[in-house]
Amino acid sequence: MYRLLIVDDEEIITDTLYDVFSRLMPEQLDVCKAYSGKEALAWMSRTRIDIILTDIAMPGLSGLALIEKIQELWPRCKVIFLTGHHNFEYIYQAIQLNDVRYLLKTEGYDKVTETVKEVVTELRKMSLNGIHVEQTEEEKHAYELIAQSDFFRDILYKSKMLCHNSTGLLTEFSKLNISLDPTKRVYLVLGRLDYPKGKAYTERQQMLSFVRANWNRHLSKHINNMGIVDRYGDMVWFIQPAQHNKLPHPHLVEYLEGTLEIHQEECLDKIGLTLQLTISREIEDWVVISQKYEHLRQLQQLKMSDGYPCIIKEKECNDEPKKVDLPSNQKIDILTAHLEASRIDDFFEVFTDLIKSAQNSNYDEMIGIYYTIAVVLYSHISQNGLHDRITNYEKLLKMDEHNSIKSSFQYLKQVANQIFKFKKTDDRNRATKVIDRICQYIENHLEEDLSLVRLAEIHYFNPSYLSYFFKQEQGINLSEYIDRCRIRMAKELLQNGDLKVREVSKHVGYNAAHSFTRFFKKMTGLTPKEYRENLTKSAK
């Protein structure tokens, strides 16, 4: 939503334009008005202004002086001068300003509305195309790397969801200019960076940059790779053989191991950093990356040695008894986050994965997984006061009270579904209460400022979101609701013969009686005077 500020010292012009634009594009344009340059400055200091439609010659602060101020406060604001002056000096000064439109009041309201629509379209295109941002090649590359890193972090934790559609994955790789091939499988290497004690943040970042650069120096000839930092501060490299690579495929892991030994030694010798690496045994499909990453993390924690660099290869655990992956802190964090944010589909995707892993494990591991999920649910119930609404919630921490392991996990699912059901109901109730509070405020303060900006300030909303939220809940635009309240109140007040029309107009928020008359006739088909006369005739 864009914000239009109308400024003119002639009230009838300001009010008329305000009425026109308030109804022109209510879902795209939030309209404010000011009767002087000083009042306009107050608006600019208070909220963002996207378009200003202003007279040039006004007492006090002229339109030209006003534009100098707005270019300081809101440099992206588009300016439309609307004036009755044909004086060449005004026109000359106006056209010297960059990106400013100039209209004569004699051109009529149709020309004005057409021009504002053009500016709105221009702003929308600027937003979509990003033409207002002039980036250097270095900036573009930096932003691209950030986007690539964020995307690969998502893959680490949600590969099953993000990578199941090969066509969509190919599109994402192309858009983000990622050198890896989403149609081919990938190796993972996990690196734990053991920084020397006492190093400041900037020093650790310098060490991390060295690790990245040195890695590429040694390995870029034979592999394509993408390296990111995970949520724990560890490095994760996604690796594929380069197209020109002549190394036999089975030898790639050995090549990595041998080359990474040199990399580790140089990290230790040159910057005093211990780098411990864990290498996946086989090349994997993208869809199982999250599972592979979790396994490498667990293997790293089991095998990692303190004090010196080591390389852990996944094949070293082949002779160990196969164990199911127990829920990691990362999975529990994700489960909790989905529950808090009411992301029901994402929550049950992680939930189902945990249940499936429990079904393939021994009894002790099943208990561990059960209580891990149960604690997440129990904590949410406690923190949100749902004790009286969840059926038998106390059984969450009493697994032995269930008839079977299967029924215990079914119970967890039932509790989770109940929580989401109540969260949905509570969110709807909260939304209803907020809108009811806003409606009550409007009805009680019709004579005051009821601009979108003001209502948003009072109720702690983003103005654009408030407009959308109100329409979603009430089915009508906020401005339409305010008009309905004003016309209802005006009709009630006009029944009081002691009140003059100008007094009624002030009671419903119109300082100028002529603006109120125009509004009333548009809403009812009668002027206030005609409406009052009809009431008198009906009473006789």
Side-chain angles (χ1 to χ4, degrees), residues 144 170-178:
E144 185 177 86
L170 188 63
T171 300
E172 295 289 354
F173 272 54
S174 176
K175 286 182 177 178
L176 292 171
N177 197 26
I178 295 169

Side-chain angles (χ1 to χ4, degrees), residues 79-90:
V79 178
I80 304 172
F81 278 129
L82 181 63
T83 182
H85 287 271
H86 294 270
N87 187 297
F88 177 76
E89 181 181 353
Y90 282 112

Side-chain angles (χ1 to χ4, degrees), residues 301-337:
Q301 291 168 349
L302 288 171
K303 297 285 187 177
M304 192 170 62
S305 302
D306 294 330
Y308 63 91
C310 65
I311 295 179
I312 303 164
K313 290 186 291 183
E314 196 176 11
K315 65 182 180 182
E316 291 178 6
C317 66
N318 283 349
D319 298 331
E320 297 176 2
K322 186 175 181 180
K323 295 182 66 177
V324 67
D325 290 344
L326 291 176
S328 65
N329 289 335
Q330 176 257 328
K331 279 189 178 178
I332 299 309
D333 288 346
I334 291 176
L335 200 68
T336 302

Side-chain angles (χ1 to χ4, degrees), residues 217-229:
R217 184 171 66 86
H218 284 294
L219 294 165
S220 60
K221 182 177 180 181
H222 291 294
I223 66 170
N224 291 328
N225 74 99
M226 177 72 190
I228 65 167
V229 179

Side-chain angles (χ1 to χ4, degrees), residues 107-235:
E107 293 185 80
Y109 290 118
D110 288 344
K111 180 63 175 179
V112 178
T113 55
E114 179 187 338
T115 302
V116 171
K117 285 181 179 179
E118 290 174 359
V119 172
V120 169
T121 301
E122 182 180 323
L123 286 170
R124 190 181 297 114
K125 287 181 179 179
M126 285 176 61
S127 178
L128 291 173
N129 299 331
I131 59 174
H132 57 281
V133 179
E134 296 181 2
Q135 298 176 354
T136 64
E137 288 302 315
E138 292 79 5
E139 287 174 330
K140 290 180 181 178
H141 181 63
Y143 293 141
E144 185 177 86
L145 288 178
I146 291 172
Q148 290 174 351
S149 297
D150 288 344
F151 179 67
F152 271 89
R153 266 188 288 274
D154 273 352
I155 287 179
L156 270 188
Y157 305 125
K158 297 185 289 187
S159 66
K160 186 176 180 181
M161 179 175 66
L162 295 176
C163 303
H164 73 282
N165 183 338
S166 57
T167 302
L169 193 63
L170 188 63
T171 300
E172 295 289 354
F173 272 54
S174 176
K175 286 182 177 178
L176 292 171
N177 197 26
I178 295 169
S179 61
L180 298 178
D181 188 343
T183 65
K184 296 180 180 179
R185 295 188 294 171
V186 64
Y187 281 99
L188 282 191
V189 173
L190 180 61
R192 170 66 57 84
L193 282 65
D194 188 6
Y195 296 103
K197 292 183 179 180
K199 292 294 183 181
Y201 173 81
T202 53
E203 293 175 309
R204 293 198 302 272
Q205 290 302 301
Q206 289 173 351
M207 288 182 168
L208 178 61
S209 296
F210 176 86
V211 172
R212 290 177 181 272
N214 204 51
W215 167 286
N216 289 328
R217 184 171 66 86
H218 284 294
L219 294 165
S220 60
K221 182 177 180 181
H222 291 294
I223 66 170
N224 291 328
N225 74 99
M226 177 72 190
I228 65 167
V229 179
D230 69 8
R231 64 187 300 165
Y232 303 101
D234 293 339
M235 283 292 301

